[in-house]
Structure formats: structure tokens, C-alpha cells
Amino acid sequence: MNPISIRLLNQQLIAPQFSKPEEVVAHFGAMQAQEYRMMRWAVGMRTKRPSERAFTKAFNEGKIVRLHLFRGTWQLVNADDFWWMFDLYASKARQIVNGWMSSNRISIPDEELYLIRNLIVETADRKGSVTNEDFKDALAAKGITMDDHRLSYHIRYAELDGMICSGDLLPMKATYALAEKKIKRTAPIERDWALARLATKYFQSHSPATLEDFVWWTGLNVGDCKRGIESIGNHLYCDSYKGRTFHLHENSRTRGFRKGEYLLIPPYDEYLIGYKSRDIVLDPDFKHFAHNNSGIFQPVIAYDGRICGNWSPFREGLNISFFTKEHGNEGLDVAINKYRMFKSK
């Protein structure tokens, strides 16, 4: 088994199968979206014809939604997956927020919570797509002043109560909209079905991966993750690599890998953050070039799937640099042109 080539194929980084951004997001189930600007490239680079305009269109039409789910961080989900994932994760996500508030010695009484939530909902309903500044203006009109940190908790609570979700895409600032107007409500499903669906989406997009990888990605407990894997067990098979057992989905792509290709990978991309076993594609001696111990990820370059360098997406010339010798002498221009064409389309 060559886990690198198989991951590249199933992650849609080589020979992508999808034309539309929302199809890519549906394939993954959820895609890390911590960096507001670069989440667009994370999806776009996995389509047949990468286009930032196509991503913006899908996002603004509510086909792709950005919200807090796994591990208390930002993800992109397809609109068809929004409500069942929300139902599966909202309670755990609230616990994470409560823990943050407790560690910061912040307490929000119910009276304040309901007052601010109503103002958030009213503002989103009136304006359609709103920024943090719009919320602050609405509070100020009622004679309420609040620091950004405290307001962020109110916005998060409104999101985790299913009141608001991502609004229209702006160049730099996140916006919010009423969830009921943005995303059609789907029928709830049983928890075991949700776990099975989550496991299916993970292993079809991340194979080969271990149980530990799945636990890390979902942020769920080991028991839930085992239940998810067991429920689709007849659709998975196992293979070993360097003493570790990996699961592969029966629909995993194993053929089509082409050597000699560079990839300009954005920060927080699923190619790295989607696994605990990152050493397969990233030499542990160089992991500090890709991420620190606090969970801050950098833009990286891969050659034949191995992480070998860094780049700067928003600088002239992209500031290409390499920290290993595991890369070729040709082909980098193709990757650079692909990114620049994405930005222009």
C-alpha cells in the first residue's frame, strides 16, 4: 500500500472528480475553514476547473455553509449535511464554549443571553447578511456597549442554537445570516445513522486513515468513533503500513497517481489537519514548518504528496521556499499558475 498516493487521490488533490465546489465539500462531509480567505482555495483546488467565483457563488447561495463544529473550530459543510451534523455536534460544541468561558472567568446571565440573542436575530433578519460591526451598531442603538470578546460568545451561542449561520462571502470579514432563511431544514436522523454517515464521508475522502485519525478529526470520543466504523464495517477494509492498521473505504481510489506534481496547500488544509498520522506525508523533523504545538498551521508545498516547502499566498511571487531536498526541478510553475488562475476566475 502506498498511503500517500491513495490519500492524494481520495482527497481530490490529484485528478479531481468534481466540477462544483459544493460537491467537494459534500465528499468530505466537513472541511477545515479556519482561514477565511484560504478556505476558498482549499475547496477550489480540488475541482476540475478551480474558480474563486464559483466558490463565492456556491457560498452565497447557501450551498456551502461555514460554522463551528469539530473541536470548537470552523468547518465548511454542504447545505444538505448542515442540520444532521448540527444536531450531532451542537451540544458538544456548547460544552467547549462553556469551558472557554469558564477558563476566562466569563459568565453570561440568562437575561443578557436572551436579550442579545434577540438583537442578533433581529439584525440578521433585517439586513440579511451582517458583520460583527453590524451587531455592535445594533447593540449601541439600544444603549448597550460590549467588548468584542464577550460579543463573540453571544454570536457563538446564537450559532449553536441554530439561529444564525454564515452569510455572504466578503473579502476579509465573516458575515452571518438567519439559518432558517439560508438553509432548508432537513428531517432529523438517529444518532447511530449520523455516526455511520460521518464515518462514510471521512473514510471515502481521507483513506487510508486509522481509528486515531478519525477520533482526532471528529473530536468525538473513541466509543462513538468505533460505533461509526463498526456500523459501516462491511464497506471498509484494512491494510497495514509500518506497523499501523489503516482503514480504507471500498470506494477508495487507488489508481491514477501521477508523479512529478507540486501542490500549493493552504493552511489548515484537510491534507494535514485531517489526520493524527501526519508523519506519513510530513517528516517529524520538519513539522514546525507546517504547524506549531498551538495548532497554528502554515501554507505548505507538497511534491508527490510529501511536504517539502512553504509559500505565502498573498505576497508577490508567493515567496516559495523549500526545507527538504525531496522535490523535483520542474513542475512548480504549473502549480503556481493553477493558483493564479483560480484567483482570476
Side-chain angles (χ1 to χ4, degrees):
M1 179 179 71
N2 183 343
I4 296 179
S5 63
I6 298 174
R7 282 187 180 180
L8 286 170
L9 288 165
N10 291 299
Q11 286 246 352
Q12 304 295 314
L13 290 169
I14 295 291
Q17 298 170 300
F18 303 113
S19 299
K20 298 178 180 180
E22 61 267 30
E23 294 172 339
V24 173
V25 179
H27 171 70
F28 276 84
M31 297 180 70
Q32 195 75 19
Q34 204 73 8
E35 222 291 344
Y36 186 66
R37 295 176 294 174
M38 291 307 294
M39 67 182 183
R40 310 162 204 212
W41 173 236
V43 176
M45 71 184 298
R46 290 171 162 90
T47 60
K48 293 179 180 179
R49 294 180 177 84
S51 164
E52 187 164 25
R53 288 196 192 101
F55 178 89
T56 301
K57 183 175 184 291
F59 195 91
N60 290 350
E61 291 177 352
K63 295 175 181 177
I64 297 173
V65 188
R66 184 176 184 245
L67 75 162
H68 291 91
L69 278 181
F70 306 171
R71 307 178 304 278
T73 59
W74 287 104
Q75 275 82 41
L76 295 174
V77 301
N78 184 285
D80 292 339
D81 295 320
F82 178 89
W83 287 112
W84 70 263
M85 280 198 178
F86 176 85
D87 291 340
L88 179 63
Y89 272 95
S91 177
K92 186 175 184 64
R94 284 192 201 95
Q95 293 175 8
I96 292 173
V97 174
N98 290 339
W100 290 342
M101 289 178 60
S102 178
S103 64
N104 289 313
R105 297 181 179 180
I106 294 176
S107 177
I108 298 177
D110 288 344
E111 182 180 0
E112 177 188 331
L113 183 66
Y114 298 138
L115 172 64
I116 304 305
R117 179 187 298 163
N118 287 338
L119 284 172
I120 286 174
V121 170
E122 290 171 5
T123 305
D125 189 26
R126 185 176 69 255
K127 302 197 71 169
S129 193
V130 295
T131 65
N132 283 16
E133 287 74 16
D134 292 320
F135 289 138
K136 290 176 72 174
D137 290 342
L139 294 178
K142 297 288 186 178
I144 302 171
T145 58
M146 184 176 295
D147 63 67
D148 290 343
H149 193 198
R150 192 176 189 87
L151 177 59
S152 71
Y153 285 120
H154 280 288
I155 294 172
R156 185 73 66 91
Y157 275 130
E159 179 190 20
L160 296 177
D161 284 338
M163 301 292 185
I164 59 173
C165 65
S166 55
D168 289 348
L169 197 69
L170 296 182
M172 300 288 289
K173 294 181 180 180
T175 69
Y176 302 89
L178 284 185
E180 64 180 19
K181 290 188 175 181
K182 193 82 172 179
I183 313 156
K184 183 180 179 181
R185 213 356 163 157
T186 54
I189 62 175
E190 294 183 1
R191 183 175 178 82
D192 283 351
W193 281 102
L195 291 173
R197 190 175 293 181
L198 191 68
T200 297
K201 285 182 175 290
Y202 178 76
F203 286 103
Q204 74 181 5
S205 58
H206 290 76
S207 287
T210 65
L211 168 63
E212 291 76 15
D213 293 329
F214 186 45
V215 172
W216 154 254
W217 184 76
T218 64
L220 297 174
N221 61 50
V222 175
D224 278 342
C225 291
K226 285 183 175 179
R227 284 168 62 193
I229 290 175
E230 289 168 1
S231 66
I232 63 165
N234 58 326
H235 297 292
L236 297 177
Y237 65 94
C238 294
D239 205 338
S240 61
Y241 179 77
K242 294 186 176 181
R244 282 180 283 184
T245 299
F246 288 83
H247 299 283
L248 293 91
H249 195 271
E250 63 182 358
N251 294 332
S252 295
R253 301 167 68 196
T254 58
R255 297 180 181 275
F257 174 71
R258 299 190 299 267
K259 288 187 177 182
E261 290 204 23
Y262 280 95
L263 294 167
L264 301 183
I265 298 175
Y268 304 99
D269 190 80
E270 287 295 320
Y271 190 59
L272 282 182
I273 207 168
Y275 307 91
K276 191 172 183 180
S277 54
R278 295 170 195 147
D279 58 295
I280 289 175
V281 301
L282 174 63
D283 189 321
D285 289 340
F286 299 111
K287 68 178 183 180
H288 59 283
F289 287 100
H291 62 85
N292 63 21
N293 293 330
S294 299
I296 306 300
F297 281 70
Q298 303 299 325
V300 293
I301 301 170
Y303 180 73
D304 284 344
R306 298 282 305 175
I307 306 301
C308 60
N310 292 108
W311 66 298
S312 301
F314 306 111
R315 293 196 177 182
E316 188 71 25
L318 303 183
N319 280 20
I320 302 292
S321 64
F322 294 99
F323 49 78
T324 80
K325 296 181 179 179
E326 297 179 6
H327 59 89
N329 296 319
E330 298 179 357
L332 183 57
D333 286 346
V334 175
I336 292 173
N337 289 335
K338 182 179 178 180
Y339 175 68
R340 286 177 172 162
M341 289 294 291
F342 165 78
K343 297 295 291 182
S344 67
K345 287 186 176 182

